[in-house]
Amino acid sequence: MSYKIKDLSLASEGKKQIEWAERHMPTLMEIRKRFEAEKPLKGINISAVLHVTKETAALVKTLKMGGANVALAGSNPLSTQDDVAAALVEEGISVFAWKGENETEYYSNIESIVKIHEPNIVMDDGADLHVYIHEKVSSKLDIYGGTEETTTGVIRLKAMEKDGVLKYPLIAVNNAYTKYLFDNRYGTGQSAIDGILRATNILIAGKIAVVAGYGWVGRGIANRLRGMGARVIVTEVDPIRALEAVMDGFDVMPIAEASKVGDIFVTATGNTKAIRVEHMLNMKDGAILSNAGHFNVEVDVKGLKETAVKVRNIRPYVDEYTLPNGKKVYLLADGRLVNLAAAEGHPSEVMDMSFANQALAVEYLVKNRGKLEKKVYNMPMELDYEVARIKLKSMGIQIDELTEEQKEYLEQWKSGT
Amino acid sequence: MSYKIKDLSLASEGKKQIEWAERHMPTLMEIRKRFEAEKPLKGINISAVLHVTKETAALVKTLKMGGANVALAGSNPLSTQDDVAAALVEEGISVFAWKGENETEYYSNIESIVKIHEPNIVMDDGADLHVYIHEKVSSKLDIYGGTEETTTGVIRLKAMEKDGVLKYPLIAVNNAYTKYLFDNRYGTGQSAIDGILRATNILIAGKIAVVAGYGWVGRGIANRLRGMGARVIVTEVDPIRALEAVMDGFDVMPIAEASKVGDIFVTATGNTKAIRVEHMLNMKDGAILSNAGHFNVEVDVKGLKETAVKVRNIRPYVDEYTLPNGKKVYLLADGRLVNLAAAEGHPSEVMDMSFANQALAVEYLVKNRGKLEKKVYNMPMELDYEVARIKLKSMGIQIDELTEEQKEYLEQWKSGT
Amino acid sequence: MSYKIKDLSLASEGKKQIEWAERHMPTLMEIRKRFEAEKPLKGINISAVLHVTKETAALVKTLKMGGANVALAGSNPLSTQDDVAAALVEEGISVFAWKGENETEYYSNIESIVKIHEPNIVMDDGADLHVYIHEKVSSKLDIYGGTEETTTGVIRLKAMEKDGVLKYPLIAVNNAYTKYLFDNRYGTGQSAIDGILRATNILIAGKIAVVAGYGWVGRGIANRLRGMGARVIVTEVDPIRALEAVMDGFDVMPIAEASKVGDIFVTATGNTKAIRVEHMLNMKDGAILSNAGHFNVEVDVKGLKETAVKVRNIRPYVDEYTLPNGKKVYLLADGRLVNLAAAEGHPSEVMDMSFANQALAVEYLVKNRGKLEKKVYNMPMELDYEVARIKLKSMGIQIDELTEEQKEYLEQWKSGT
Amino acid sequence: MSYKIKDLSLASEGKKQIEWAERHMPTLMEIRKRFEAEKPLKGINISAVLHVTKETAALVKTLKMGGANVALAGSNPLSTQDDVAAALVEEGISVFAWKGENETEYYSNIESIVKIHEPNIVMDDGADLHVYIHEKVSSKLDIYGGTEETTTGVIRLKAMEKDGVLKYPLIAVNNAYTKYLFDNRYGTGQSAIDGILRATNILIAGKIAVVAGYGWVGRGIANRLRGMGARVIVTEVDPIRALEAVMDGFDVMPIAEASKVGDIFVTATGNTKAIRVEHMLNMKDGAILSNAGHFNVEVDVKGLKETAVKVRNIRPYVDEYTLPNGKKVYLLADGRLVNLAAAEGHPSEVMDMSFANQALAVEYLVKNRGKLEKKVYNMPMELDYEVARIKLKSMGIQIDELTEEQKEYLEQWKSGT
């Protein structure tokens, strides 16, 4: 078996990490049990580009136990946990990833996992692998289909679909309800606060927190901040979302106003420059700036750096910027995703649902080989429900089922008679 | 002017009611101001079937100030406020409605508002008027289009659209975000609790409340009950919604279990027999049963009546049923919508948004006369936003606008490059 | 048996009311069960001045079942429920009370319940009866002791104690933890909102509510308003309480500022003129004023009446005052306790604990006849705990008990070694 | 100047830490400003035993700027931050403390700060220094008085007062409302969750959390856990507190029951063995055990260690114990205070109030030299209020003041006329 990682001797440490993750990923573990028994992926070659973390390890091991051969590269040059990579190699996974790859190494690793075997299934997180296969691989491959984990990746693939260039069917795992309804709201909602606390150790109670954006991420963060005792202000550009925020009991105002009163700022807009230098100049001395959106453009870090008269590091992930007006603002994690940078990203419980969808999506592609068109499919609703059902069961929670009479009633009612 | 109401002398009392409503309907009042100045409905004949309440009066007056001639009948034989009807007649509206109409009178009133003038716009709440016009009116009418307020009505009209029988374009006001996201969650969420309190005067803190259904209505009620100090159990048939309820901190279990521990039950499932006799027999002595769903089928009232060995009225809207096992359960408002029956239904603030949509929908139909197809349209998004924008402004709340750079960023990002 | 009430034929209606109360007073019912078996009050004469409500009826019946002879007068000329009074007479209680007594009648009724038998126990709500006996009754009475329900009454009695004039021992039931920790926070917290909703039917979500005072009542109201979706501002004069409010996530500011932004105002300060005319002149057009404090002096109603250029009644319990600046404010229930005036006061569940304390206090006075000094005692702690214990049991809730090891640990630790 | 620390070269790092603390201790900084101007402690010798943290540094520097000479030793052999100690030495404070002192060194350091100068004021955290001076120092000292920061210390000192052996007056800073109402509820409430998250990275939403004890700490934790999306169960031995928990919307049950359903356990009882081996054997596989009470006796760690068949470390602060029944439980931070061990303890904002009280208490002792008795005083109420007032001001929050009329009303009312 071929692989390329940092240090195989880290495997035992990595194994404990993976165990801890698996313990908090009961949905995936339930699927693994079935995969082990049924071997639905028997002989299937999978090439996957994913963050090489303990949770991904739990997924990849599950695929292998289902019968697949898996080759794995990292989806980000900085996110690989080297001990986990080592443990995976010991489990028989062909891993090509280490923390701190340069760009050449990153793409070379992607190349390796395609060359190592002829993939039947292509799993991706950001679509770099899909694009690579479409653009660089000329040999004819027997690919049943692929999956995509992220919003960004899905957008890229849909653009390819529109241009008619897709070479195999794709499942947008990202669009599963059991993924996006949960990871944004509950995952980022908690971990953003975790990141802020680890970086600053401030008391949230009594503070005025400003959350830019009231999408799923913003809602999650706003609710959790309120749950910790903050007074929360929401800023929005969408009047319907703004109105929901008001009805949910939050203060809503333009960032130009909010910037004058906030103690802590968290951006979650999905847009650029939600907080600009003009707003920073408004801020109270000591204001804390952080970002929970995917890209590090929501706080205008570049503008801040150009404007500041002095910068120094205070604590890990806390940089102090002295503004021309003499006031200081504190930027967390250089404006990058505060939950990933200053804490540990999504808890395993959240990845559990995301990766349960991945496992079921892979099985679906194998089962439906040749039946799907070359387009981007949403996660099949029955699998989405299946994930929710297993998760609930794993938590010891039972729910009701429709009686025959209720099914008829709904049927009848929807048909409008 | 022709009309048929209970008692014109009630007008002054009705006028005060309407004033109180108008004070809490700032969105509609803002639109009224513009309508008064611009007269966009000049000369338009409107026939409307709506609940004749103080809030509807505010809408109808607005349409009239916009230049329209309005004839109004009630959409429910019991919901007409006679003093409001009188006040509307004094305002020059042709009202045909009184509390306690029989079925013949109900349909005769519908007939009257179509005969009194040739309607250009048809407004409805439940689609009885639309169906009447389609089925019973043979003369050729110059109808620009119609609006529909309810889910039920929209379903009926979509069935007609599917059958290809629609005679004019329709706007599903019900589907406006600023309607259904708000009236269910915040309107019913509050008013259901209001109804329970008026009926029973129980202390909610410390009680175990069971909310059947975690749709928008159920979410609203569950949150408000928690806000009043109850421990809340949610029952669901949909595993994704069930999982959301758990993540939102609620207990989730089957009604068969919940029925054993609940003190207060509220149904909001949109389905029949969410609580059945078998569950009632499980309940603690003294359990309180209520319904917040549209139809009075969610609690199996019929089954309860057949099973009970004794029934007596205890307080207004509270009936005591003694079960064969000797325990007593208390049914509120005979299983009908508890917020309408035992309290005053939606607060004016909620109808404000719904009826602002109605007013803008009517204007849109007039402006786009002849340009629309004979199908059921969703509320145009720009009008939906407009309602949210005016509502926020009326509350003194300003929000952000996208900068040019931000618009470009979003554009670029969505296009996937 | 002697009595004086409005109409005995109302008894059957009153009986249903009392049943409904008893169903929600499980603590008192548990005590009643024991009283019925043990007859601890056998032959004891009790004279009581209490609000003649369905909950008081449950208490008085319990005392009677414990063996006592009870004579009851009303503690407020307006609070007597005539049907309840009738039902009590049928139960063999000497009631002297009706709704709408004039002052002469009020005192004559007090006189009657002292004359009708020689009281051994004196129960009071406001201390009018205690004062009457001390000042007006010259004959020598065999009084074992008395109880007092209210803060006001306790203050009067402590002043008498200080002056050395007390003729019998008194138990300040008002000071029981299971009374004041619960009725203020949870009772008034809920019922004040109930009163506001019944009076106005406004939507609380999205409103700015101003709560004057952050004592137990203010905390209860602020929390419940937040639970209904309001943004809540607290005003305080005590900096420690103000800081707690901030840490609990509320906005805190002076009433001079809060008056400019609030939509709904509720006073709970225990002081006079918490909201003055100068503040009313600041308010937004349409502001709603209400009071949840004991006396109707917290909102300066007198000042408002003198200042307003026009007053009219809009709905029951809603008066519109037009100010010289043209704006209108709406005063609920004439500034009296909004939960009592516009709703039904404390739910039975709250009176349950208060009256369980009363029942146990009476039993304690009988048991300790002759052993107590002529002073005002706090509710004995063991009885207070007993009430909590029975209440929990009645709710089906079990709690832990200290192990021997834990008792020793606490003992040792508190002794500081 | 004499001192004994780890490494003076760490001073610049320590200085940044102190700056970060000072930025979040505005109350103390406001007092510092006044102390700098007024020099109320001019020439006063202070010997202090406190945790040598960045927050303590902010206090000690304040005392020095007020004119005092300060000698400082650590109050715990493990809590000293060596960089902070170095920075303090650079500021001219005689520090005798380093991380990892052995017991001999610990007491030797205490000795040093008494020998270095004749203390006028003695500050302590746990009473070790007070006891040392009382028992070991025979020379006559001119001590004006002392302060004590902790509950434990106050208990020891009160035992000494009772025995009549106190040699100087003491102020129980611990008993200030602005200390104990805030650090327990808001400080530990947040930091306990912070510690759990850092140790485990689990998702709190959807979990069942069991909080043992509903005192101030337990309330804080229960509320914050609910704010993060957990379903929270409270266990209690006190029926009144248990009832409050129920009324606050929490589930209450005995630990014997709660142990069967909980995912996360946090103890805050102030007692020993709140969670015993018999309960651990009940627990679900994977249950997490942690303690937020002062002493590490609340979870029976000793019993767990004796019972477990296997122990291994999984992550920092997470030990896995395999029970004889095959299930695993995870103990955080070896059962020690999870917020101190796995996170950073109280945020600076909380210590701000505690240490503002300390600073004012020291000034008070100096001002009242010779006027106080040799007993344990509560923090003077006017200073307590002063701390709250400054804190509010530092947060930009203004509150109301009583008018003359209001003062009279209160006066009159309290006097009972």
Side-chain angles (χ1 to χ4, degrees), chain A residues 232-279:
Chain A
V232 180
I233 295 169
V234 168
T235 72
E236 248 302 341
V237 294
D238 179 314
I240 295 176
R241 286 181 172 183
L243 202 47
E244 281 184 279
V246 175
M247 291 293 168
D248 289 340
F250 296 108
D251 266 307
V252 173
M253 62 183 75
I255 184 67
E257 291 309 307
S259 55
K260 294 175 192 165
V261 295
D263 297 302
I264 316 166
F265 295 80
V266 194
T267 51
T269 64
N271 205 332
T272 190
K273 296 190 186 170
I275 299 182
R276 300 186 284 282
V277 172
E278 65 200 79
H279 308 130

Side-chain angles (χ1 to χ4, degrees), chain B residues 363-372:
Chain B
E363 184 187 29
Y364 181 86
L365 286 170
V366 170
K367 271 191 185 161
N368 289 279
R369 176 186 179 185
K371 294 181 199 155
L372 301 170

Side-chain angles (χ1 to χ4, degrees), chain B residues 198-223:
Chain B
R198 295 196 201 193
T200 66
N201 203 43
I202 57 166
L203 183 71
I204 290 178
K207 291 283 191 308
I208 297 179
V210 178
V211 178
Y214 202 62
W216 288 121
V217 173
R219 275 159 218 243
I221 294 173
N223 270 298

Side-chain angles (χ1 to χ4, degrees), chain C residues 170-191:
Chain C
L170 281 142
I171 295 184
V173 168
N174 176 70
N175 296 1
Y177 287 104
T178 46
K179 178 185 183 283
Y180 83 86
L181 274 184
F182 292 83
D183 63 355
N184 289 318
R185 226 182 328 173
Y186 308 112
T188 313
Q190 171 180 303
S191 58

Side-chain angles (χ1 to χ4, degrees), chain B residues 43-56:
Chain B
I44 300 295
N45 292 335
I46 299 178
S47 296
V49 164
L50 296 166
H51 295 282
V52 182
T53 62
K54 58 190 190 299
E55 289 83 11
T56 295

Side-chain angles (χ1 to χ4, degrees), chain A residues 16 19-20 23 190 197-198 200 202-204 207 224 228 285-286 312-313 315 330 344 349, chain D residues 16 19-20 23 190 197-198 200 202-204 207 224 285-286 312-313 315 330 344 349:
Chain A
K16 282 201 296 186
E19 271 182 59
W20 184 248
R23 174 165 289 284
Q190 172 180 303
L197 287 183
R198 295 196 201 193
T200 66
I202 56 166
L203 182 71
I204 290 178
K207 292 282 191 309
R224 294 305 177 236
M228 298 299 274
D285 186 44
R312 59 176 186 150
N313 181 263
R315 287 164 54 105
Y330 294 85
E344 300 177 54
E349 290 90 337
Chain D
K16 282 200 295 188
E19 271 182 59
W20 184 248
R23 173 165 289 284
Q190 172 181 303
L197 286 184
R198 295 195 202 193
T200 65
I202 56 166
L203 182 71
I204 290 178
K207 291 283 190 310
R224 294 305 177 236
D285 186 44
R312 59 175 186 151
N313 181 264
R315 288 164 52 105
Y330 294 85
E344 299 177 54
E349 289 90 338

Side-chain angles (χ1 to χ4, degrees), chain C residues 127-149:
Chain C
D128 279 356
L129 176 57
H130 294 306
V131 169
Y132 170 81
I133 289 174
H134 278 78
E135 293 183 353
K136 300 283 169 59
V137 181
S138 51
S139 63
K140 205 162 155 39
L141 294 174
D142 180 23
I143 296 179
Y144 310 168
T147 69
E148 172 54 45
E149 175 76 10

